[in-house]
Amino acid sequence: MSSYNYPSGEFWSPVMTLWFKAQAARTNKHFDLMKSLIEGMVVHCKQSSAMKITDGVRFAVSSVLLLAGKDCNTCMASYLAIECFFCAIEILAKAIRCERSSQIMSDAFEGLVHTNLQNNDLESARILLDDWNGRAFTSDHPDVTLAIGKGNMELGLAFMEKRQYKEALDYLTPAVRKVLRKHDPEFRDSESEGIFASALGNCLYMESGAVSAFDTVRQARLIWKSLNWPFEHVDCIVGCLGIHMECLLWMDEPCEEYEVHSDMLMQHSALVKLGKEMLVPEMFTSVGMVALDNKQEEKAAELFEQACTLYKLIIETKESEEICAEIRGLLMHIGHANFQTLHYGKAASAYMECLPLLEKRQPAEEVRLASCVASLGLTYSVLFDYDNMMLYCERAFRIDALLSPNVRQLIIVSMGHLYYVKAVKLERDGQEELSSTYHVKALAAFQKALDEYPSNAAPSINYGYYLFHQGNYYDASAILCHAYQTVRSHTFKDTIEYTCMDEPILIEDLRNELRLRQLIRIPSTVFALYLKTLAQVKMGNASGAQDTVDVLQREVYKCRFADYYCCAVFGQDSMRRLAKSLLRFALRAAGKGNH
């Protein structure tokens, strides 16, 4: 079928007639009529493939379609805008190569991509770009090639905002390496390249890790610095600095880390003036969490403290519950991080600062309050501050249902022992009545621990030790035997620890071993058998004591001390020597001292 060759004027006149009518309808706010007229114009223009029309008419009609597409976007008729832009490109594809045609075509293509992305239709934009990335005629239109490159970058940025990092990399990387750096002389070291480098660094970090992202985020930081930190891109800049610091935690570049840290502080002072002061403290918190996840607790504490300081500066001028909540959370993080790095004094200070803030927020913060109270108790225990340890552990014991499982178990298992120490202290001070009250509390706490954690040996050992002290050797022997069997049935073994705070209740052998030490730590199997031997001796069961001490001797010499907990002040060698000392005491008590 042969095509009909319209004269150029015969093709041009209907287009202009419809366009003028559409403009009049738009002026009169008859938008439905305007859309209908533009649709007619598009239908007419789609016949251009069967027409022989001059390049001048092609340029003019494409210009009109470009304007029509922009008008449709303004009137929220994006589907029609896409038709206009697409038709303009198709008409120009057959025109001679010239600066005018390339410019119109690139504007139309940018309109196509932008309209799809504005509608949050990433799939349509992706299909469009995948199609046009492979079109051969674009090589004759460098402006179109550049427009496609910009479209790829815009789509890549949209994918990044959706956290589709792999898809973002698929469009960002070729857009820059194959197009923008080659065809856009103004791209290099511009805000566009800063945005690209920040986005690409984020995608690389999230998709591949710190090593692959390090050079890119460093490049982004240098670009932003050379541009004097343009604050209209503050979200992008702060995000880039945050990723850079996260990378530095992996790369161990302390000299550069100091510069990035200074950059973030500078950003903070500017952001306060812009009313966006939440960004930088949040970033310090985010990087601190990364450090915490990577077992860099000292660095995490430093970053959390920086975030907390910045929030406190903000709250001086603008108090809000959101900022107060951030401060409470950071103080808890600071406490935990310092506890892990053995900075117990700093940990206690952070928890103590957080405690009244949480108390004001009851009952909304009851779970975090319970955690804070328990953390204070455990922190004071390693500081050997018995009074404060007792105060906060007892408070945590009263609200144990709110504690995390591990902390709850630790508090419940320990409380009988702590109450017993308190009872003996009061008895020494002549407060007999109050001492009796704490003995009752100790028995109730021992029973609670036995009931709730029957497979844990520590409650049985603590209770057996208490019964031994009270002269109930028969029951002590029975429960210590149960404790030993419980520990033996577990693959993972545990220990019993005594510190200077336990001095009031220590039997003579343990008091001698603790002398001049901060603490002693004993394998549970060894301690249960040692104490059972002494109980059997006290109750006159000589043969039973000799049998038990034989088991103890085998236990000490086959014990793999590396399997047990140890700590900086009492390691495995010290634990081995202590176990052998207890064995000697038990042998002597059982009448086998020459063996």
Side-chain angles (χ1 to χ4, degrees):
M1 180 178 178
S2 61
S3 61
Y4 175 70
N5 297 330
Y6 279 95
S8 293
E10 191 174 337
F11 173 68
W12 163 254
S13 295
V15 172
M16 294 310 296
T17 299
L18 290 167
W19 174 238
F20 288 139
K21 288 181 179 180
Q23 286 289 287
R26 184 176 186 276
T27 301
N28 294 321
K29 297 185 178 181
H30 297 155
F31 298 117
D32 289 340
L33 177 59
M34 182 201 81
K35 295 172 189 176
S36 178
L37 291 165
I38 290 177
E39 282 179 355
M41 191 171 71
V42 169
V43 170
H44 179 75
C45 290
K46 284 183 176 179
Q47 299 172 9
S48 65
S49 60
M51 303 174 192
K52 288 185 178 180
I53 53 178
T54 65
D55 287 336
V57 170
R58 288 183 185 277
F59 299 152
V61 171
S62 296
S63 297
V64 169
L65 287 167
L66 185 61
L67 293 172
K70 292 178 180 178
D71 279 351
C72 290
N73 262 338
T74 303
C75 297
M76 308 302 289
S78 55
Y79 72 94
L80 192 52
I82 289 171
E83 290 285 336
C84 291
F85 294 139
F86 190 83
C87 193
I89 293 171
E90 289 294 325
I91 289 173
L92 277 179
K94 295 185 178 180
I96 61 171
R97 173 183 172 181
C98 68
E99 185 176 342
R100 184 181 174 191
S101 68
S102 291
Q103 185 60 57
I104 295 172
M105 191 177 288
S106 65
D107 288 347
F109 187 83
E110 285 184 21
L112 268 174
V113 175
H114 184 71
T115 302
N116 279 312
L117 293 178
Q118 195 174 38
N119 293 337
N120 205 26
D121 188 356
L122 273 63
E123 183 61 19
S124 293
R126 184 188 65 78
I127 292 170
L128 173 69
L129 283 162
D130 287 350
D131 177 28
W132 282 74
N133 280 329
R135 290 207 176 196
F137 79 84
T138 59
S139 61
D140 294 327
H141 297 275
D143 288 339
V144 177
T145 301
L146 185 56
I148 293 171
K150 290 178 178 177
N152 283 329
M153 182 171 167
E154 195 172 352
L155 178 60
L157 292 172
F159 274 128
M160 190 207 72
E161 289 180 3
K162 295 281 187 181
R163 302 191 178 191
Q164 295 176 241
Y165 301 111
K166 183 180 183 304
E167 292 84 352
L169 287 170
D170 289 343
Y171 289 91
L172 283 174
T173 308
V176 175
R177 292 178 180 170
K178 294 181 180 179
V179 179
L180 296 179
R181 285 177 179 160
K182 182 177 179 181
H183 295 280
D184 185 359
E186 296 180 356
F187 176 76
R188 192 172 293 277
D189 297 326
S190 67
E191 289 183 0
S192 294
E193 186 173 19
I195 292 170
F196 156 75
S198 297
L200 184 61
N202 183 29
C203 293
L204 287 169
Y205 181 72
M206 298 305 295
E207 189 67 21
S208 309
V211 175
S212 62
F214 187 61
D215 289 339
T216 306
V217 293
R218 175 189 279 161
Q219 175 198 7
R221 174 180 166 265
L222 293 175
I223 290 172
W224 292 128
K225 196 165 190 174
S226 70
L227 294 172
N228 198 28
W229 309 104
F231 293 116
E232 61 270 23
H233 300 299
V234 66
D235 293 10
C236 192
I237 293 170
V238 174
C240 164
L241 289 172
I243 296 168
H244 195 173
M245 285 195 72
E246 291 180 21
C247 290
L248 288 167
L249 290 172
W250 290 79
M251 304 297 293
D252 193 21
E253 296 274 357
C255 57
E256 190 166 6
E257 184 178 303
Y258 173 78
E259 289 189 45
V260 180
H261 197 245
S262 300
D263 293 342
M264 294 188 97
L265 292 175
M266 181 278 301
Q267 285 286 309
H268 172 74
S269 62
L271 286 169
V272 169
K273 296 175 184 177
L274 293 173
K276 290 186 174 183
E277 61 274 2
M278 292 293 284
L279 278 171
V280 171
E282 284 175 352
M283 191 55 65
F284 276 112
T285 303
S286 172
V287 181
M289 294 304 295
V290 172
L292 205 59
D293 290 342
N294 287 283
K295 309 300 181 187
Q296 297 189 41
E297 287 88 357
E298 285 200 31
K299 177 58 64 179
E302 175 191 328
L303 292 162
F304 292 144
E305 286 167 3
Q306 183 65 67
C308 197
T309 300
L310 292 175
Y311 278 126
K312 288 175 181 177
L313 289 174
I314 295 167
I315 211 167
E316 288 178 1
T317 55
K318 187 181 74 175
E319 184 169 352
S320 74
E321 175 49 34
E322 183 182 7
I323 297 174
C324 291
E326 291 290 342
I327 290 173
R328 294 193 295 271
L330 283 165
L331 288 170
M332 289 297 291
H333 284 316
I334 292 167
H336 295 331
N338 277 308
F339 188 92
Q340 292 299 318
T341 54
L342 312 184
H343 295 138
Y344 301 123
K346 290 182 178 180
S349 296
Y351 292 135
M352 284 299 294
E353 184 179 353
C354 188
L355 185 63
L357 302 179
L358 293 170
E359 289 172 331
K360 291 177 183 178
R361 291 287 301 161
Q362 292 310 295
E365 290 272 26
E366 64 178 5
V367 173
R368 187 177 279 177
L369 174 64
S371 175
C372 184
V373 169
S375 296
L376 274 167
L378 298 176
T379 303
Y380 281 121
S381 74
V382 293
L383 287 170
F384 306 116
D385 183 341
Y386 176 81
D387 289 338
N388 276 314
M389 175 190 67
M390 185 67 191
L391 173 67
Y392 292 107
C393 283
E394 186 175 26
R395 185 174 171 184
F397 187 58
R398 292 196 296 267
I399 52 174
D400 64 271
L402 299 173
L403 300 174
S404 65
N406 290 341
V407 174
R408 182 175 187 273
Q409 179 173 328
L410 191 58
I411 293 292
I412 289 177
V413 167
S414 303
M415 281 313 298
H417 179 80
L418 294 179
Y419 280 137
Y420 176 40
V421 173
K422 182 77 170 178
V424 174
K425 279 176 169 283
L426 290 167
E427 189 176 349
R428 280 184 174 182
D429 294 339
Q431 300 183 56
E432 298 289 342
E433 186 175 345
L434 194 53
S435 172
S436 298
T437 300
Y438 274 93
H439 274 296
V440 172
K441 286 186 175 185
L443 286 169
F446 284 134
Q447 192 59 56
K448 180 180 175 71
L450 287 167
D451 291 344
E452 297 206 18
Y453 302 104
S455 61
N456 187 327
S460 299
I461 292 176
N462 286 340
Y463 188 38
Y465 188 80
Y466 178 80
L467 293 171
F468 177 85
H469 262 281
Q470 298 303 106
N472 187 347
Y473 304 120
Y474 181 83
D475 287 342
S477 177
I479 198 167
L480 289 166
C481 180
H482 168 74
Y484 174 66
Q485 295 301 329
T486 300
V487 180
R488 280 196 65 194
S489 66
H490 292 168
T491 303
F492 178 75
K493 307 298 192 293
D494 57 8
T495 59
I496 296 295
E497 180 180 293
Y498 291 104
T499 72
C500 56
M501 293 185 294
D502 300 310
E503 186 275 334
I505 63 167
L506 291 183
I507 58 178
E508 194 61 32
D509 292 345
L510 296 179
R511 187 176 289 112
N512 288 334
E513 290 297 327
L514 183 62
R515 191 174 60 251
L516 303 179
R517 296 178 184 269
Q518 285 186 309
L519 59 86
I520 54 175
R521 196 179 286 253
I522 314 162
S524 295
T525 51
V526 171
F527 188 70
L529 292 169
Y530 157 74
L531 203 57
K532 181 185 175 186
T533 301
L534 298 188
Q536 289 173 316
V537 169
K538 292 282 188 182
M539 58 193 285
N541 185 358
S543 61
Q546 290 181 358
D547 290 341
T548 302
V549 84
D550 288 341
V551 178
L552 172 61
Q553 189 166 23
R554 290 196 297 272
E555 188 68 37
V556 169
Y557 284 102
K558 75 175 184 180
C559 180
R560 298 194 306 274
F561 288 89
D563 292 342
Y564 295 104
Y565 285 118
C566 61
C567 58
V569 294
F570 201 80
Q572 294 163 11
D573 290 341
S574 297
M575 200 183 302
R576 183 181 290 106
R577 285 193 294 271
L578 174 58
K580 289 182 178 179
S581 292
L582 295 182
L583 172 61
R584 287 196 298 273
F585 298 149
L587 286 167
R588 184 178 61 219
K592 302 181 73 172
N594 295 324
H595 285 66

